[in-house]
Amino acid sequence: MALSHLSDAATKQAIDATRAFKESLRVRRRLDELGGSMFWKTVGDYEYLAQRAGRKVVHLGVRSTETEQQFAAFQLERERLQTREKALRERIRLHERMNKAVRAGTTPTPVIDTLALLEDLGLGTDSTWLGSSALHAYWQSSGLEPPKELTGQKSASAYLVAINEKLSARAKLALQRCKALDVMLVNARHVTVLIVAHKTQTALPHGDSDLEAITARLQRMDKNALEQLLQGMLSYTAFEQVVIGKTGEMGEMRTLDPQLFISLSRSPIGEILGLHLKESDLVQDLVEMHRVQTKFTVEEQAQLQDLI
């Protein structure tokens, strides 16, 4: 397969933009970990340190030297992170413009939109993209121009994402109300599968197959069998890559290890996930050329036989 390298300008821009975006994600996630604002609340004769947690208020303890130190440390760390986040937001906007100018990425807008939505809901680190969308992560990592098989395909209309938890009512509502995306849910025991399609398109540039067909295949499966299959796939180390869209916007995609993708594509599971042999051949070429890294061990390859 004849492949071309990205231009030097696009390669350098992708590296710089990826570094900045990863840092912005780290800061944002750290802010989320800190939780809502802290304040002092008087209850009867006592004053408590309290913190907002969504619509609830959690009491952290009666006012004391320890809780005063906790409050001061929280305020200091929160202010530091907010200042850092604001500065990074400006850098990201600049990188997005540069990404578009030098064509640093070709990931379809619906994929970027979905990544942003999942991150906003706090599900970014619990999400694993299972189907053909993984190719965007592999190719972004390779530093090569994507082939026509990736940029030119127009028959697919859905994307498949596994969330390694039961979704909250808030998350479900946000997904259902999303104006740009149609999201269908298939629940296993502890894992939720999202089948995502773009509302304004009957065909996406590249995805996992027809929306209804994928949904029907998953819904026909026994919940225990589906749970076992999903947990088996999610038990392997994920491949993480910042992908860059055609508009220059970015998102972090967690997906299957390239070797796992190849093996599943060549097994009956591939049909369930909407994968194709041609796609596995593309990824195999990247692995053999050392353009994309796999962390699959010999032991994991042997264990995989139980899954497929």
Side-chain angles (χ1 to χ4, degrees), residues 118 123 126-130 159-169 171-172 175-176 183-196 218 223 226-227 230-231 233-234:
L118 293 174
L123 298 172
D126 293 315
S127 304
T128 303
W129 291 64
L130 298 180
Y159 299 105
L160 194 62
V161 187
I163 311 295
N164 197 16
E165 63 176 72
K166 285 290 187 182
L167 294 183
S168 65
K172 289 180 180 179
L175 290 167
Q176 291 168 355
V183 183
M184 299 186 71
L185 309 181
V186 178
N187 295 310
R189 295 298 179 188
H190 302 288
V191 181
T192 303
V193 180
L194 310 183
I195 303 102
V196 185
L218 293 174
K223 277 195 173 185
L226 179 59
E227 178 75 17
L230 293 170
Q231 291 290 2
M233 289 188 288
L234 299 180

Side-chain angles (χ1 to χ4, degrees), residues 44-58:
D45 296 331
Y46 296 94
E47 193 173 17
Y48 292 88
L49 179 59
Q51 183 173 27
R52 299 192 185 282
R55 296 182 178 180
K56 298 180 180 179
V57 173
V58 179

Side-chain angles (χ1 to χ4, degrees), residues 27-264:
V27 171
R28 182 178 177 183
R29 289 169 180 173
R30 176 58 184 145
L31 273 170
D32 289 341
E33 289 174 5
L34 282 180
S37 59
M38 283 188 185
F39 56 96
W40 297 105
K41 182 179 180 181
T42 302
V43 180
D45 296 331
Y46 296 94
E47 193 173 17
Y48 292 88
L49 179 59
Q51 183 173 27
R52 299 192 185 282
R55 296 182 178 180
K56 298 180 180 179
V57 173
V58 179
H59 288 186
L60 302 177
V62 70
R63 187 158 197 158
S64 64
T65 302
E66 182 180 347
T67 53
E68 286 179 349
Q69 290 175 346
Q70 182 181 357
F71 177 71
F74 172 86
Q75 294 290 83
L76 185 64
E77 177 69 355
R78 191 177 188 216
E79 182 178 344
R80 183 186 71 82
L81 290 170
Q82 287 175 334
T83 301
R84 178 68 172 150
E85 183 187 36
K86 182 179 179 180
L88 284 166
R89 201 179 304 131
E90 294 299 322
R91 284 178 58 190
I92 294 301
R93 279 197 282 265
L94 176 60
H95 277 302
E96 288 173 346
R97 292 195 293 271
M98 290 299 298
N99 287 342
K100 184 177 181 180
V102 301
R103 300 177 65 185
T106 59
T107 301
T109 299
V111 174
I112 299 295
D113 289 345
T114 305
L115 289 169
L117 177 59
L118 293 174
E119 189 64 37
D120 287 343
L121 293 173
L123 298 172
T125 56
D126 293 315
S127 304
T128 303
W129 291 64
L130 298 180
S132 302
S133 311
L135 270 69
H136 297 294
Y138 305 149
W139 240 271
Q140 189 74 63
S141 174
S142 74
L144 299 171
E145 291 278 1
K148 291 181 180 179
E149 289 90 340
L150 186 60
T151 59
Q153 182 171 330
K154 296 183 179 180
S155 60
S157 60
Y159 299 105
L160 194 62
V161 187
I163 311 295
N164 197 16
E165 63 176 72
K166 285 290 187 182
L167 294 183
S168 65
R170 169 181 169 271
K172 289 180 180 179
L173 185 61
L175 290 167
Q176 291 168 355
R177 287 182 174 179
C178 182
K179 294 180 179 180
L181 303 168
D182 272 322
V183 183
M184 299 186 71
L185 309 181
V186 178
N187 295 310
R189 295 298 179 188
H190 302 288
V191 181
T192 303
V193 180
L194 310 183
I195 303 102
V196 185
H198 204 262
K199 288 182 178 178
T200 61
Q201 291 177 281
T202 56
L204 299 180
H206 197 76
D208 296 319
S209 185
D210 181 75
L211 175 65
E212 290 78 12
I214 289 181
T215 305
R217 284 198 294 268
L218 293 174
Q219 288 178 334
R220 282 198 300 268
M221 292 185 67
D222 174 77
K223 277 195 173 185
N224 289 324
L226 179 59
E227 178 75 17
Q228 185 176 2
L229 171 62
L230 293 170
Q231 291 290 2
M233 289 188 288
L234 299 180
S235 66
Y236 295 97
T237 302
F239 182 89
E240 297 183 354
Q241 175 65 40
V242 173
V243 292
I244 302 174
K246 296 178 180 179
T247 63
E249 294 180 284
M250 294 174 280
E252 185 179 64
M253 179 183 285
R254 299 180 77 258
T255 188
L256 305 175
D257 182 276
Q259 191 58 56
L260 178 58
F261 180 94
I262 293 167
S263 298
L264 294 179

